[in-house]
Amino acid sequence: MDSVLVSVDIAIVGPGPVGAAAALALTLDGFNVALIGPANPRHDGRTVAVMDRSWQLLEQLGVASALESEAAALNVMRIVDDTGSLFRRPPTDFRATEIGLDQFGFNVETATLAKALLAATEADSRIIRVPQAVDGIEASDGARLIRLVDGSRLAARLVVGADGRQSIVRSKAGIDARDWSYPQTALTTVVRHSRAHRNVSTEFHTRHGPCTTVPLPGRRSSIVWMMAPDSAERLLAQDDAALALAIESRTHSILGQMSLDGPRGLTPMGGLSVDRFCAERVALIGEAAHVFPPIGAQGLNLGMRDVMALRECINPADPGAETGLGAYNRNRSSDVRTRTGAVDALNRSLLSDMLPVDFARGLGLLALERIGPLRRFVMRQGLNPSKAADRARDVRPSLKA
Ligand SMILES: Cc1cc2nc3c(=O)[nH]c(=O)nc-3n(C[C@H](O)[C@H](O)[C@H](O)COP(=O)(O)OP(=O)(O)OC[C@H]3O[C@@H](n4cnc5c(N)ncnc54)[C@H](O)[C@@H]3O)c2cc1C
């Protein structure tokens, strides 16, 4: 049997943005950390809206300053019902100032964020960086043994699975996952436009899913356009001018004339949820634990909240101890399940052309538009569920306002 290379407190499998953030945060907390796996940031025009608390975490990890010149503030999130439904509502705006913030967060290219986080882990001499992929994990006395593809092994008191949707840590730890797909593909790219975006992100809700413009620095925005897979393939094959024109027309020229200004890519849409967030000396974070469509900028932000919860819950004397992991499981269950349900319901309501479903969606938007306290509650929920829960009482006395 091969000998054990090294023994650490915490081994994080998966150097994506969530795994790299976890490595920096847990090192800051005094743990001895290894970050394992090959890095492969995708250059496909994808961006992430990094919301308020996640941005604060990046500040604490010393990464936010490197991103500032490449990120644009998100001051207003606008929803436009573009379904043609009988119960269509006028556009609904959510303003950060309504909940006392200058901005909801910052939008940055996903590959830029992933590179900045990885560079910070590589600059931190306390983090052991192992670039090989993991092949398996085994139980051991008071630890887990991680097997790498070259056959060598590491021991860790806690293994954190941050290895994405196809997580090997999840399957080897025996954690069941439910995986599903939607009849949609997201086309992503970056455009330059003739009108200023004024830091407004606009989500056009269409019968095939949302098409969203998200501000980037200057007169640039990222596009996430969900549509039927065959339509997405056809559009992807178009030349730059034809694709820019199609995006301009889909977004009703609100940003004026457009030209392509970045790579493009397709991501098939699906979701994943797990039956639990931990197993013996194993915890899951990021897309290893939850995947959903890019609606309401939830995915990475939820991953960053996994990191914050892990820091709060694990036992400093033994990070893999059952009590700490039990607390982590309880913390993540309600947050993740509520969001998975809400995003899934909204996405499916767009795909349905049944009148009662249209009516319910129209009513929901009407309530958000008219009832200020409810709108503020939903905005806080999107950013910071614990504070939102504290302030839920705001909603009750003034529903008639
Ligand atoms: C079109 C689109 C738009 C989005 N917009 C937003 C948004 O605005 N806001 C938001 O919050 N979220 C958004 N998301 C979601 C967000 O991009 C993801 O949640 C996030 O990037 C996932 O990061 P991760 O680190 O969990 O996983 P990944 O980025 O998938 O990283 C997993 C890592 O694990 C490694 N790995 C895999 N297998 C192994 C192995 N066996 N051994 C070792 N390493 C391994 C991989 O190489 C990779 O480095 C969007 C998603 C899409 C598709």
Side-chain angles (χ1 to χ4, degrees):
M1 186 174 281
D2 301 299
S3 61
V4 172
L5 272 181
V6 68
S7 206
V8 292
D9 293 331
I10 303 177
I12 296 161
V13 180
V18 177
L24 292 166
L26 294 166
T27 301
L28 211 58
D29 294 345
F31 293 106
N32 167 229
V33 171
L35 177 62
I36 309 173
N40 57 353
R42 289 178 7 168
H43 293 272
D44 56 3
R46 262 165 71 170
T47 63
V48 271
V50 181
M51 298 308 202
D52 187 50
R53 276 183 81 204
S54 305
W55 190 261
Q56 284 171 24
L57 176 66
L58 296 182
E59 282 173 342
Q60 194 199 8
L61 302 180
V63 177
S65 57
L67 296 171
E68 264 159 22
S69 63
E70 317 227 26
L74 299 172
N75 298 349
V76 178
M77 314 269 258
R78 178 168 296 152
I79 294 181
V80 177
D81 186 339
D82 209 4
T83 55
S85 145
L86 273 178
F87 307 104
R88 198 169 67 217
R89 298 294 318 152
T92 306
D93 280 2
F94 299 86
R95 292 175 189 280
T97 49
E98 286 186 73
I99 52 169
L101 295 174
D102 291 334
Q103 62 274 316
F104 290 112
F106 295 90
N107 188 45
V108 62
E109 287 190 49
T110 312
T112 307
L113 172 69
K115 261 170 62 186
L117 280 162
L118 203 61
T121 64
E122 278 160 5
D124 191 329
S125 57
R126 293 167 297 179
I127 298 175
I128 300 169
R129 178 75 181 98
V130 180
Q132 280 122 319
V134 167
D135 200 27
I137 56 171
E138 298 152 21
S140 168
D141 201 16
R144 281 277 190 171
L145 289 180
I146 298 170
R147 200 178 54 244
L148 304 175
V149 282
D150 67 359
S152 54
R153 297 184 308 162
L154 277 95
R157 290 198 290 168
L158 172 66
V159 177
V160 176
D163 48 343
R165 187 170 186 166
Q166 312 294 339
S167 172
I168 194 162
V169 172
R170 186 181 67 225
S171 62
K172 297 288 179 188
I175 298 176
D176 286 335
R178 192 168 68 89
D179 202 336
W180 63 94
S181 57
Y182 298 100
Q184 294 161 307
T185 290
L187 183 142
T188 49
T189 191
V190 174
V191 291
R192 191 170 284 281
H193 36 77
S194 58
R195 288 195 199 133
H197 51 54
R198 298 178 194 283
N199 300 92
V200 179
S201 171
T202 306
E203 203 164 282
F204 293 90
H205 286 184
T206 82
R207 281 287 175 219
H208 301 286
C211 174
T212 310
T213 66
V214 200
L216 282 169
R219 291 197 172 188
R220 295 169 72 237
S221 293
S222 60
I223 304 292
V224 184
W225 184 357
M226 284 162 65
M227 64 187 100
D230 53 344
S231 312
E233 294 284 354
R234 270 199 303 278
L235 264 182
L236 191 78
Q238 305 257 359
D239 64 26
D240 283 6
L243 179 55
L245 199 62
I247 296 168
E248 193 184 315
S249 147
R250 171 67 277 166
T251 55
H252 301 289
S253 300
I254 55 161
L255 294 171
Q257 274 193 334
M258 287 181 171
S259 56
L260 276 237
D261 195 36
R264 47 171 100 173
L266 296 184
T267 311
M269 290 292 95
L272 178 140
S273 66
V274 289
D275 68 343
R276 59 203 160 104
F277 295 81
C278 51
E280 193 188 340
R281 295 197 173 272
V282 170
L284 299 180
I285 62 174
E287 288 208 336
H290 42 73
V291 178
F292 35 77
I295 301 178
Q298 293 292 324
L300 178 103
N301 290 291
L302 208 47
M304 293 298 178
R305 285 212 295 281
D306 297 340
V307 174
M308 296 176 219
L310 199 60
R311 293 177 85 180
E312 274 170 29
C313 295
I314 56 175
N315 181 341
D318 178 0
E322 205 179 324
T323 45
L325 292 183
Y328 176 71
N329 187 48
R330 284 191 296 281
N331 179 306
R332 301 323 294 142
S333 294
S334 58
D335 189 13
V336 174
R337 289 195 213 299
T338 317
R339 263 141 239 284
T340 308
V343 170
D344 181 65
L346 175 57
N347 193 30
R348 289 187 196 277
S349 81
L350 292 172
L351 297 174
S352 161
D353 56 4
M354 288 165 62
L355 280 183
V357 177
D358 272 359
F359 178 68
R361 195 183 54 249
L363 200 64
L365 276 177
L366 176 68
L368 286 176
E369 188 189 309
R370 296 280 167 86
I371 307 171
L374 177 63
R375 193 170 63 245
R376 289 192 286 279
F377 175 68
V378 167
M379 284 190 267
R380 288 190 194 113
Q381 270 288 347
L383 296 178
N384 183 352
S386 55
K387 277 196 186 152
D390 293 345
R391 294 180 194 170
R393 63 183 181 280
D394 288 2
V395 181
R396 287 184 219 119
S398 35
L399 269 177
K400 295 190 206 88

